[in-house]
Amino acid sequence: MAEVGEIVAEKTYVLTRDSLVRYAGASGDFNPIHYRDDVAESVGLPGVLAHGMLTMGFAVQPVVEWIGDSGKILDYQVRFTRPVAVDPKDGATVTVVAKVGALTDAEIRIDLTVTFADQTVLGKAQARVSLA
């Protein structure tokens, strides 16, 4: 069994503009800030941004892979703290580190540190996982 403070999973994701197009098609979120630099910049953004829900979705994936059963996730919450700007050539590299934050007989709280360009992009990202 894992111990409090133990890193249980780490993963790096590279997002491209193609990733955003595929996610937009799957989710139905065609807000132009996710595919047009001119629109993103016109509203004060640094450029095209990854969808927040895309970032949230892949951030929990290392936990799912670690436990081997997505049905064991009891709760998953995040706060969106910074955007992930996706460069047209280089994309965006996002790193997820999953660490045991708390442990009881029934469940584990996994604290996720999700970073892009050396800054945290999801705050208070936590998944509660059933031990049953």
Side-chain angles (χ1 to χ4, degrees), residues 3 8-9 11 25 44 46 50 56 62 80 89 95 97 105:
E3 297 179 11
V8 295
K11 193 155 188 176
M56 184 180 179
F80 298 102
K89 283 195 254 180
T95 303
V97 177
D105 290 338

Side-chain angles (χ1 to χ4, degrees), residues 17-112:
R17 295 283 176 96
D18 288 347
S19 305
L20 304 184
V21 169
R22 286 192 296 275
Y23 183 79
S27 69
D29 182 350
F30 292 100
N31 185 325
I33 67 169
H34 300 303
Y35 61 89
R36 289 188 46 192
D37 285 297
D38 61 327
V39 173
E41 290 167 3
S42 76
V43 296
L45 299 171
V48 165
L49 302 181
H51 303 73
M53 294 305 287
L54 171 61
T55 306
M56 184 180 179
F58 70 67
V60 76
Q61 189 58 34
V63 177
V64 171
E65 292 169 7
W66 173 66
I67 60 173
D69 178 359
S70 62
K72 289 189 174 216
I73 296 183
L74 303 170
D75 185 57
Y76 174 49
Q77 297 183 27
V78 306
R79 277 191 256 164
F80 298 102
T81 56
R82 286 188 181 82
V84 176
V86 182
D87 185 80
K89 283 195 254 180
D90 298 330
T93 301
V94 181
T95 303
V96 179
V97 177
K99 183 188 294 187
V100 177
L103 181 63
T104 69
D105 290 338
E107 65 184 57
I108 296 177
R109 188 191 76 219
I110 302 294
D111 298 336
L112 301 167

